[in-house]
Structures are given as C-alpha cells and as structure tokens.
Amino acid sequence: MVSSPHEAMHRIFQEYPGLFSRVSEVLGVDIPPPTSASPLPTDLTEARPVERRVDTLLRIETEHDGPFLLAIEAQGRKDPRKTVSWPYYVSYLHNRYGLPILLLVVCQDRATAEWAARPISIGLRQWQTFALYPLVAGPHNMPVITDVAEARKDLALTTLAAIAHADNPDVGAILKTLSAALRDTPEAIADPIIELTAQGLGNRPAAQQWRNLVAVDLSFYKSPLSEELRDEGRAEGRAEGLLLVLHARGIAITDETREKIADCDDPQLLHQWLNRAATATTTEEVFAGE
C-alpha cells in the first residue's frame, strides 16, 4: 500500500500547481510560474503493445567496471522520430536490466553522423530532466585503413571502417586493402567479412568494386556467398561488355535494349548474347529466340 507521505509529496502539487515555481526558486532553477495546470492520467501503461526494437543489443562484461549494455543503431539518414525512440530505449533498458547503458549510432555519411551526435534533452530550457548523448561512429571519425598489415591486426574494425567510408572517393583503395588482408585468412573468418562488406556497401558503386575484388583477389574462396558475388560481378561485367560491343558495331541501343540487358541475371544468357553481338547487325539478331 502506498504510504501517506508518498501521497502527500506529490498530491500537493495537484492542489497547488503554482507551488512548483516557488520550489524551483529554492532549488536555484529559474522556471516561470505556470499560467494554468491540468491534471493528466497518471497510468503510463500502454493500452496496446507498441513494437520497439533496437537494432542490436549486447551485454558487455568488463574486468574491473562490471557489465554494461551496448545498444547499437545503424542510421542511414536523419530521422526525427529517433529523438523519441532512443531515450525510450535507454530508459526502458535501464529499468529492465538495471545496468549502465551506452547507445552507439553507426552512420555512413557525415551529415547524418553530425545529426545523430546531438544530445537529446528532455525537460525545460532552465533544467534538463533527461539528457542522452549518443556515441557516433561514421566517416568523420572512423579510420581510413589502406595498410594491409594494419588491416590484418583488426579485420572487424577494418570492415566497419570500409562500410562507414562507402562513399569515400578512396573507397577502392580501402576495399583493396581489406581484400588483400583476407588472402591468408581462414574461410570461417573471411566469409562473414565478405558478406558484411557486400551488405554494408548496398547498391553504391563501391559494391561492384567489392564484387570484382572477391572475383579476382579472393578467387580461392569457394563459399556459396563468394560464388554468388562472383556470378553477380561476371554478369555485370558481361552486360557492360555487351553494350560496348553493340556501340562499337554501330547498332542502335534503345532504352528497352539497355533495360533488357540490365535486368538479365543469367550469366550464361549474357555470354550467349555477347557472342552473337560479335557478328550481329541488329539487336533482334542478338536476342534471337529469346
């Protein structure tokens, strides 16, 4: 049962809303007196479940300072909703686990990183009730690793750095360094790095550079993923080659032709079209029977 002191200590503000401005004076916080006050429901239980998911949540143990929670959010763009979600995550996790919490936000462009690093404050201008300071990793502070020996020392960091620098003009050198560092690495270690790098680069131009590196520099790996990336790389290379041959032979290339070639993901069919293009005089001859 709630004790009487508990009731009195908060209900007095219901009865005398102006009391808060005087209390704030005593506490040395300059908050103007209220012009009105309305009671709101005190039950904060959600009437229906609201799905809220942090991208990754880890419990980290330390030798001397005890455990803490690491909540990781991958942020591709500015999202004003996060100013609500992130404080909720932190307060909920602290309440559930009773452990210190660190929020890490990983970005791939400087503007998003600068936005994500801004403190999130909840409260009044004169006094903040809650402040969240995200730790942000992005192209502005992740290392540009182009030394193979350095990359081999920490392949995970090198991979994250490569993903963070996906739009860097020197990303080719960064990816080349990563592929070189993987050459003497066991497949069990290399496979997830190859996959994460491909996934992290998305549909950026750097993704094709990575496929080419996997196809050539890492050709000795025979995992399903490596083969898939090689097939994609070969298909895109043949598609580009086919367009070049058609152009060189003076064959008109319509938007429909470009789309048909770009949409083809069958390496054998592209190879067949490429062979026909060497002697064909029209695109109809290239695509004959298709």
Side-chain angles (χ1 to χ4, degrees), residues 7-42:
E7 286 286 298
M9 284 188 293
H10 70 84
R11 284 197 60 191
I12 191 171
F13 290 93
Q14 296 178 23
E15 297 294 329
Y16 307 100
L19 174 62
F20 178 65
S21 62
R22 296 193 290 277
V23 171
S24 65
E25 269 183 45
V26 173
L27 298 178
V29 183
D30 182 21
I31 296 177
T35 57
S36 66
S38 302
L40 297 175
T42 58

Side-chain angles (χ1 to χ4, degrees), residues 43-151:
D43 187 355
L44 304 184
T45 304
E46 304 237 1
R48 55 183 178 178
V50 177
E51 183 174 337
R52 299 182 189 270
R53 294 180 183 272
V54 66
D55 289 336
T56 289
L57 179 63
L58 302 174
R59 176 187 168 118
I60 307 294
E61 301 284 346
T62 65
E63 185 175 356
H64 301 295
D65 295 335
F68 70 92
L69 297 182
L70 177 61
I72 305 167
E73 286 277 279
Q75 197 63 33
R77 57 182 175 80
K78 299 177 184 178
D79 185 353
R81 293 173 299 178
K82 295 299 183 180
T83 59
V84 175
S85 298
W86 289 344
Y88 175 88
Y89 295 164
V90 170
S91 58
Y92 173 84
L93 291 170
H94 183 266
N95 182 65
R96 179 174 180 180
Y97 294 98
L99 293 175
I101 301 165
L102 180 63
L103 173 65
L104 173 64
V105 183
V106 183
C107 307
Q108 287 180 297
D109 70 271
R110 183 178 292 271
T112 301
E114 291 175 351
W115 164 82
R118 296 174 184 171
I120 299 173
S121 298
I122 299 174
L124 302 181
R125 174 176 56 83
Q126 296 85 354
W127 190 268
Q128 297 302 314
T129 303
F130 179 100
L132 174 63
Y133 297 87
L135 185 63
V136 179
H140 64 299
N141 58 9
M142 292 298 290
V144 175
I145 301 176
T146 55
D147 180 79
V148 176
E150 182 183 356

Side-chain angles (χ1 to χ4, degrees), residues 213-288:
L213 288 168
V214 172
V216 179
D217 290 4
L218 303 176
S219 59
F220 47 86
Y221 285 117
K222 302 300 180 184
S223 69
L225 174 68
S226 299
E227 291 301 324
E228 179 183 336
L229 289 175
R230 287 187 198 106
D231 287 343
E232 291 178 6
R234 293 187 192 105
E236 292 187 20
R238 285 172 181 157
E240 292 174 4
L242 176 55
L243 290 172
L244 287 173
V245 171
L246 292 174
H247 179 73
R249 291 184 55 76
I251 299 175
I253 304 174
T254 64
D255 291 341
E256 183 181 357
T257 298
R258 290 184 183 277
E259 185 176 351
K260 184 180 183 69
I261 294 172
D263 290 344
C264 182
D265 56 2
D266 184 343
Q268 292 184 345
L269 182 57
L270 282 169
H271 184 69
Q272 189 177 42
W273 290 347
L274 186 58
N275 286 338
R276 290 177 185 169
T279 57
T281 56
T282 64
T283 53
E284 287 76 11
E285 292 179 35
V286 175
F287 302 133

